[in-house]
Amino acid sequence: GREPMGDVWGLTLTEVAEGVRCKQFSSTEVTRACIERAEDLQQSLNAFIAIDAEGALRAAEKADAALARGEVLGPLHGVPLAHKDTYYRKGRRASCGSLIRRDFVPDRTATTLARLDAAGAVDLGGVNTSDCGLNPFGLNRLVGRARNPWNPDHVTGGSSSGSGAAVAARLVFGSMGSDSGGSARLPAAMCGVVGLKPTDGRVSRYGIMPLSYTLDCPSPIARTAADCARITGAVAGHDPLDSKTSVEPVPDYEATLDRDIKGRRIGVASNYFSEGVADDVKSVVDRSLEVFRELGAEIVEIRVPDPAPMDVLGNVIVFAEGARVHEQWLKERAEDYTPITRESLEFGLALSATRYLEALNMTLVALKIVA
């Protein structure tokens, strides 16, 4: 007989996938538990914009029926996930955390969601986000900010605020956020989980609310590096619907996770890296470096360029490209934006084409992509 489900909240995504596949518990059981937990904590954490309980249970039942026939749908078979509400699913509202798009119902499904469906994942719905995916605090006028599970008075970071909160609070086992300038890495850091910004062009952007054509990057958030590897492996690869996606084959990301790091050199910045860092954070980082040393890695101090100019260049690119996306709404519905988002986009409207192209070129030069 099957073991009782017990407390699944301590499990990682890969452990839940294994538990469902080995019939320790069913996808329906895990999904129901996640829905109940998400609903119970919604008032205190505000992690979700919309919980699609009906759709999630349908997907879970489909996963269980397939397993009963001896069929494993994929590497995420039966695992409950939930994604930033900038990801489109045909026929389901995708608010993008915005008053302007509160009733938007897309006519297409994001390639990433379609690939997660094909991998057997269960989608619990849309999680909170900064207004149109643009501000680092998770602020929006639609439903208000998500709250940090470690301390609800603190911000989650943004713009993938609900992704960080939902994973950290164990409402789901992973989430697709997005990252144009830290929007997945910030909430992951502030919520104590793992955020991965994949290589540019590795994951399709088709069917996701755009912000910056140059810098937008679909990015997973989960509890562990292995969990992020599992999600990335499922969604990566060329997509004819996004011409920017790479045609390079997708490697087995999980296969290298247990590789010995003895003899590897790990660079640690001697400048900028520790400026203004709290003592408790610094001590944790120092302890992590000790772990690397114990595993045989060599820690090498390096000097890095000043990140401030790159930050300015990145903002010029994001704000200018974002202003192009939002130009008509800014003219007609400026008052519906969250103030910090509107100010950034209005700054983008004021930028000249020369300044924008200069920022693009300087960024490419700095990255040594052009001579």
Side-chain angles (χ1 to χ4, degrees):
R2 193 170 67 209
E3 298 175 16
M5 190 175 69
D7 183 4
V8 297
W9 312 123
L11 300 179
T12 66
L13 178 150
T14 54
E15 289 169 342
V16 169
E18 180 70 10
V20 171
R21 191 178 64 79
C22 295
K23 300 183 180 179
Q24 292 176 357
F25 37 74
S26 70
S27 175
T28 301
E29 287 173 317
V30 180
T31 300
R32 283 191 190 280
C34 286
I35 292 168
E36 289 171 10
R37 186 173 174 87
E39 290 175 342
D40 287 346
L41 293 176
Q42 178 61 12
Q43 187 171 353
S44 59
L45 296 182
N46 201 29
F48 276 81
I49 287 180
I51 299 173
D52 183 12
E54 186 178 325
L57 288 170
R58 269 200 314 270
E61 288 160 6
K62 176 185 172 185
D64 289 335
L67 202 58
R69 299 191 300 269
E71 180 186 351
V72 176
L73 297 177
L76 294 165
H77 186 111
V79 178
L81 309 174
H83 311 292
K84 190 173 184 175
D85 207 37
T86 53
Y87 282 75
Y88 300 165
R89 184 176 290 282
K90 185 177 180 179
R92 188 177 80 182
R93 288 186 184 182
S95 73
C96 308
S98 168
L99 284 172
I100 290 170
R101 308 211 90 188
R102 69 186 308 166
D103 296 319
F104 172 63
V105 178
D107 61 359
R108 72 202 77 172
T109 295
T111 297
T112 42
L113 296 193
R115 288 180 176 177
L116 289 169
D117 293 347
V122 172
D123 183 354
L124 257 67
V127 293
N128 212 336
T129 171
S130 299
D131 188 351
C132 293
L134 180 59
N135 74 68
F137 309 109
L139 304 176
N140 67 67
R141 296 184 62 194
L142 178 66
V143 295
R145 69 175 180 89
R147 289 182 278 278
N148 196 311
W150 298 100
N151 185 336
D153 291 334
H154 290 185
V155 296
T156 56
S159 62
S160 307
S161 52
S163 298
V167 172
R170 312 293 191 253
L171 309 184
V172 289
F173 299 96
S175 176
M176 285 302 298
S178 58
D179 194 314
S180 306
S183 280
R185 292 163 291 168
L186 272 171
M190 292 185 182
C191 294
V193 290
V194 178
L196 173 70
K197 184 178 189 293
T199 300
D200 191 43
R202 188 76 283 191
V203 182
S204 173
R205 301 161 303 162
Y206 176 79
I208 304 169
M209 170 71 181
L211 176 63
S212 167
Y213 178 82
T214 301
L215 297 176
D216 285 351
C217 181
S219 304
I221 293 177
R223 282 189 62 188
T224 68
D227 292 350
C228 283
R230 178 73 58 95
I231 296 173
T232 305
V235 300
H238 180 67
D239 177 14
L241 298 171
D242 180 357
S243 61
K244 197 179 181 184
T245 49
S246 171
V247 296
E248 291 293 318
V250 179
D252 183 348
Y253 297 117
E254 292 181 78
T256 60
L257 289 174
D258 295 324
R259 184 181 293 173
D260 189 355
I261 65 167
K262 190 172 183 178
R264 299 264 176 178
R265 301 173 73 206
I266 297 176
V268 178
S270 60
N271 56 329
Y272 304 113
F273 189 63
S274 58
E275 290 177 9
V277 175
D279 289 341
D280 56 345
V281 174
K282 187 177 185 307
S283 67
V284 170
V285 173
D286 289 343
R287 286 203 303 274
S288 72
L289 295 178
E290 283 304 316
V291 171
F292 284 126
R293 284 193 185 95
E294 290 164 9
L295 292 171
E298 180 187 358
I299 307 299
V300 181
E301 279 202 352
I302 57 172
R303 290 189 65 79
V304 296
D306 184 352
M310 292 299 289
D311 188 40
V312 172
L313 295 174
N315 282 341
V316 168
I317 295 166
V318 169
F319 297 161
E321 293 181 348
R324 175 63 192 92
V325 173
H326 290 264
E327 183 175 9
Q328 197 62 33
W329 291 322
L330 285 166
K331 291 175 181 175
E332 297 171 356
R333 302 185 60 177
E335 72 283 355
D336 285 341
Y337 285 97
T338 304
I340 188 172
T341 297
R342 184 182 69 244
E343 289 162 11
S344 298
L345 293 171
E346 287 176 342
F347 173 73
L349 278 181
L351 286 165
S352 69
T354 304
R355 293 286 80 82
Y356 165 66
L357 293 171
E358 180 182 63
L360 276 177
N361 189 67
M362 289 175 71
T363 302
L364 295 175
V365 169
L367 295 174
K368 305 220 176 355
I369 296 174
V370 298

